[in-house]
Amino acid sequence: MLISFCVSLQWNETIELFRSNMPLRKHRSHFKSYERCFTASEAVDWLHVLLRHSQNFGPEVTRKQTVQLLKKFLKNHVIEDIKGRWGQEDFEDNRHLYRFPPSSPLKPYPKRSPHQASVIRFPDWTHEPPGTSQENIPVRPIVMNSESWYKRHSIAIGEVPACRLVYRRQLTEANVEEIWKSMTLSHLQKILDLDSLEEVLDTKLVNSKFIIHNVYSVSKQGVVILTDKSKELPHWVLSAMKCLANWPNCSDLKHPMYSGFEKDVFKTIADYYGHLKEPLLTFQLFDAFVSVLGLLQKEKIAIEAFQICCLLLPPENRRKLQLLIRMMVKICLNKEMPPLCDGLGTRTLMVQTFSRCILCSKDEVDLDELLAARLVTFLMDNHQEILQAPSSLQNSIEERVAHLRRVQIKYPGADTDATLSAPPFCRQISPEEFEYQRVCGSQEPLEKLLEEIIMDSKLSVKDKKKKLKQFQKSYPEVYQERFPTPESEALIFPEKSKPKPQLLMWALKKPFQPFQRTRSFRM
C-alpha cells in the first residue's frame, strides 16, 4: 500500500510538471492547422531533460526510457493524438502531433487500510507442545503474603542478603535465529519510519538463516561464500565476468583477440542475467527496496536501509549481485576498455542493460523501469558500503545474544519467590479486560496483603508500624483507600488508657513544719 502511494505520488508529480510546463504551440499537418499541441519528438526532448534533472530519477535516464514512459502516458490517456485517439495507438519518436486531453489524468492515491501499529517484538523462546494452545489461558495473578513482600523490599530498607549465581537457559540455534530476524526487521522498520513492515514486506517469508549466512559466510573481499555449489554462477559466465572486470592492456591479454571480442563477452553476460527467472532483489522485496528510494536525499540513512534489505536476500542472489555490481563498476572505471556499444556511454549501458535483472516488479508498474535505473545508479555509487553487513546492527545482535547467555547475579528477596514463575506468554487483550485484570490482578492481592499485616498478631507494634509505613510508601493508593482518614489509621493502634496516679492523703496537707513559739505582742 505504501509503495502504491509513493509510485502514484511520483506519477502524478511527473504528469503535473509535464502538463503545466510542456511548451504548446500551433502546428500544421496535412494542410491543416492545430492549436496548442506538440510533436512526439518535442515531448521526448522536454520530458527527457525533466527526468534527468529530477531527484527521483537522475541523470542516467535514457531517451529510450523516456519514450517508454510516453507510451504509458498515451496508454493511460495522459496525452492523446491530435485526432483524440489513445490507448491502442503506439507512440514513436517522430513528428506525429499530440495534445493534452481536457480531463484530468491523475491517479487517485490509494487509501491506507486501517490497522494498528505492528512493532517487531523480541521472542520469548517458549515452545508449546504440539496440539496445545495457551491463547485463552488467563494469567494467574501473583499473590504475596507479608513475608514474601518483606523479602521483596529488603534491599530498599538496607537488609541485603548474600547473592547467588543463576545460570540462564541455554539458547538453541532456533532461538539465535529468531533473535537475528526480529532485531533485523525491527531496525529496518525504525529506519524506514513505518508503523508496520506489512506495508512493504511479508515478514513471515523472511528467512533468518539467510541473514546469518550473509553476515558470517563471506570471503576476505566480503563476497558471500555458498555452501551449495550447485547454485554458483556457471563457470563460463564467471570467466566472462572476470575477463571484462580485469580487462588488461592489449599486450598483456591472454584471451583470443579479434575485433568485437569484448562486445561478444559482454553480450554473453547480459544474456545470462537477462534470462533469470526472478530479479536478483526478488519480487518479494521489490516494495521494500523501492521504499528506500524515498530516502536518497539522506544518503547515510539510505545506505543503511539498503544494507539491511540486502541482508534479507538469498545467499546465491546476494553473491550474484555482488559480483555483477563489482564488474559493472570496474568496467566503468577502466579507461582501457573499448566502447561496448555505439552511441551509448559505458555507464549508461551498464544501467540500461542490468537494471531490469536487478529490480523489477512481478506486475507491471508505471515507473518501475525508471525506479530500477535510479536504484542501480545509487547501488553502483555506494556498492562498497551497501554490500557489506551493517556493523552497528551486527554488534547489537551479538551483544544481545551474549547477554542472554551470561550468568546472572541474583539476590534472594530482591524478587518474588522462585516458585512463582512469570507468565510464559503474551497475548493482546481488550481495554476492558486489561482494566479488569489491572484491578483484580494487582489491587486485590495488595489489599489482602495489607490486611495480613494489620491482622498479624505476632508482630510487635513497632514492627507493624514499620511495615505499614513501607507499604504506604510503596502503594499509596491502596493504603489511602484502606485508611482514608487519620482516625481510621489510629484505630489499628488503640492507645491504652494510662491509670491516674492515686492521691495520697498526706499530699493534700501542707508539708510538716516544726512548732515555733511566738512571742506575744500583748503588753
Side-chain angles (χ1 to χ4, degrees), residues 165-184:
L165 298 181
V166 177
Y167 294 90
R168 296 182 182 271
R169 185 163 64 94
Q170 184 177 3
L171 296 181
T172 64
E173 183 179 354
N175 297 153
V176 177
E177 291 175 359
E178 191 63 27
I179 295 174
W180 273 91
K181 177 178 177 178
S182 60
M183 293 189 67
T184 301

Side-chain angles (χ1 to χ4, degrees), residues 227-244:
T227 54
D228 187 357
K229 299 303 180 181
S230 63
K231 297 182 179 180
E232 283 277 9
L233 280 169
H235 179 71
W236 51 274
V237 176
L238 190 58
S239 299
M241 294 176 69
K242 289 182 179 179
C243 176
L244 291 186

Side-chain angles (χ1 to χ4, degrees), residues 2 32 40 69 72 123 145 155-156 168 200 203 239 338 391 473 520:
L2 177 65
K32 188 175 180 180
L69 180 58
K72 294 181 179 181
N145 53 28
I155 291 181
R168 296 182 182 271
V200 298
T203 57
S239 299
S391 57
K473 186 177 180 180
S520 175

Side-chain angles (χ1 to χ4, degrees), residues 94-317:
N94 53 24
R95 300 292 300 172
H96 195 75
L97 294 179
Y98 291 89
R99 67 187 181 189
F100 292 121
S103 60
S104 174
L106 301 183
K107 291 187 174 183
Y109 297 129
K111 297 181 180 179
R112 300 177 68 173
S113 57
H115 65 279
Q116 296 181 349
S118 174
V119 181
I120 305 298
R121 301 183 182 276
F122 296 143
D124 57 3
W125 311 300
T126 301
H127 302 286
E128 302 177 1
T132 61
S133 175
Q134 294 183 336
E135 183 176 0
N136 299 318
I137 300 178
V139 179
R140 180 171 61 89
I142 298 177
V143 180
M144 296 180 292
N145 53 28
S146 59
E147 183 179 357
S148 61
W149 179 89
Y150 186 76
K151 288 182 179 180
R152 183 173 187 176
H153 295 79
S154 59
I155 291 181
I157 63 177
E159 299 177 8
V160 182
C163 64
R164 60 189 176 90
L165 298 181
V166 177
Y167 294 90
R168 296 182 182 271
R169 185 163 64 94
Q170 184 177 3
L171 296 181
T172 64
E173 183 179 354
N175 297 153
V176 177
E177 291 175 359
E178 191 63 27
I179 295 174
W180 273 91
K181 177 178 177 178
S182 60
M183 293 189 67
T184 301
L185 294 180
S186 178
H187 197 53
L188 178 61
Q189 179 175 332
K190 181 179 179 181
I191 291 178
L192 296 180
D193 194 21
L194 298 176
D195 294 334
S196 172
L197 283 181
E198 293 177 359
E199 301 175 5
V200 298
L201 179 66
D202 187 354
T203 57
K204 296 179 181 178
L205 301 179
V206 175
N207 193 324
S208 56
K209 295 181 183 293
F210 292 169
I211 303 175
I212 298 175
H213 188 101
N214 291 332
V215 170
Y216 292 111
S217 299
V218 294
S219 64
K220 295 181 179 180
Q221 294 75 26
V223 180
V224 174
I225 301 174
L226 300 181
T227 54
D228 187 357
K229 299 303 180 181
S230 63
K231 297 182 179 180
E232 283 277 9
L233 280 169
H235 179 71
W236 51 274
V237 176
L238 190 58
S239 299
M241 294 176 69
K242 289 182 179 179
C243 176
L244 291 186
N246 304 314
W247 188 268
N249 296 327
C250 296
S251 58
D252 299 331
L253 189 62
K254 299 180 181 179
H255 295 282
M257 195 67 178
Y258 58 86
S259 178
F261 172 74
E262 67 283 348
K263 294 181 180 179
D264 290 344
V265 175
F266 180 75
K267 186 176 183 302
T268 300
I269 301 171
D271 288 343
Y272 172 79
Y273 277 94
H275 288 84
L276 294 176
K277 296 181 180 180
E278 188 179 27
L280 295 178
L281 300 185
T282 71
F283 293 133
Q284 173 194 342
L285 297 175
F286 174 81
D287 289 348
F289 278 102
V290 172
S291 66
V292 181
L293 290 176
L295 304 174
L296 293 188
Q297 294 179 348
K298 304 175 182 179
E299 185 174 333
K300 292 184 178 180
I301 298 178
I303 290 176
E304 188 174 3
F306 272 122
Q307 284 179 329
I308 299 176
C309 289
C310 288
L311 282 182
L312 307 182
L313 295 172
E316 57 270 20
N317 288 41

Side-chain angles (χ1 to χ4, degrees), residues 396-433:
S396 62
I397 296 177
E398 290 175 348
E399 290 176 1
R400 173 70 176 172
V401 174
H403 171 72
L404 294 174
R405 288 173 171 168
R406 193 175 297 128
V407 176
Q408 181 185 13
I409 300 178
K410 190 90 170 175
Y411 293 94
D415 203 348
T416 56
D417 294 340
T419 56
L420 300 177
S421 58
F425 70 98
C426 295
R427 63 183 179 90
Q428 187 175 2
I429 60 176
S430 63
E432 295 78 10
E433 187 177 356

Side-chain angles (χ1 to χ4, degrees), residues 343-478:
L344 279 180
T346 304
R347 182 181 173 89
T348 303
L349 176 64
M350 294 295 116
V351 175
Q352 184 174 338
T353 303
F354 296 109
S355 61
R356 190 166 182 81
C357 73
I358 293 177
L359 179 72
C360 71
S361 60
K362 195 170 185 178
D363 302 320
E364 183 180 1
V365 180
D366 295 319
L367 300 175
D368 57 350
E369 295 180 5
L370 297 178
L371 294 175
R374 187 75 181 101
L375 183 143
V376 173
T377 302
F378 187 82
L379 188 58
M380 292 177 63
D381 293 338
N382 303 277
H383 71 283
Q384 292 183 347
E385 295 87 357
I386 292 177
L387 296 179
Q388 65 180 2
S391 57
S392 59
L393 175 64
Q394 180 178 351
N395 293 336
S396 62
I397 296 177
E398 290 175 348
E399 290 176 1
R400 173 70 176 172
V401 174
H403 171 72
L404 294 174
R405 288 173 171 168
R406 193 175 297 128
V407 176
Q408 181 185 13
I409 300 178
K410 190 90 170 175
Y411 293 94
D415 203 348
T416 56
D417 294 340
T419 56
L420 300 177
S421 58
F425 70 98
C426 295
R427 63 183 179 90
Q428 187 175 2
I429 60 176
S430 63
E432 295 78 10
E433 187 177 356
F434 169 77
E435 185 65 22
Y436 174 78
Q437 288 192 7
R438 185 184 70 83
V439 175
C440 298
S442 60
Q443 296 292 103
E444 292 183 1
L446 291 175
E447 292 173 358
K448 185 177 180 181
L449 173 62
L450 181 57
E451 292 299 328
E452 288 183 5
I453 298 176
I454 295 172
M455 303 304 296
D456 194 349
S457 59
K458 297 180 180 180
L459 290 176
S460 64
V461 175
K462 181 179 180 181
D463 292 339
K464 185 177 293 188
K465 286 184 177 181
K466 184 177 181 181
K467 285 194 175 185
L468 289 176
K469 196 68 176 178
Q470 293 171 356
F471 191 98
Q472 182 183 15
K473 186 177 180 180
S474 301
Y475 310 104
E477 296 179 357
V478 179

Side-chain angles (χ1 to χ4, degrees), residues 21-50:
N21 298 316
M22 174 66 199
L24 304 177
R25 62 186 180 88
K26 183 179 179 180
H27 288 80
R28 292 183 62 87
S29 177
H30 300 291
F31 306 103
K32 188 175 180 180
S33 297
Y34 296 95
E35 299 288 342
R36 297 182 59 78
C37 58
F38 51 87
T39 65
S41 297
E42 290 172 348
V44 175
D45 293 337
W46 191 90
L47 186 58
H48 188 208
V49 174
L50 173 67

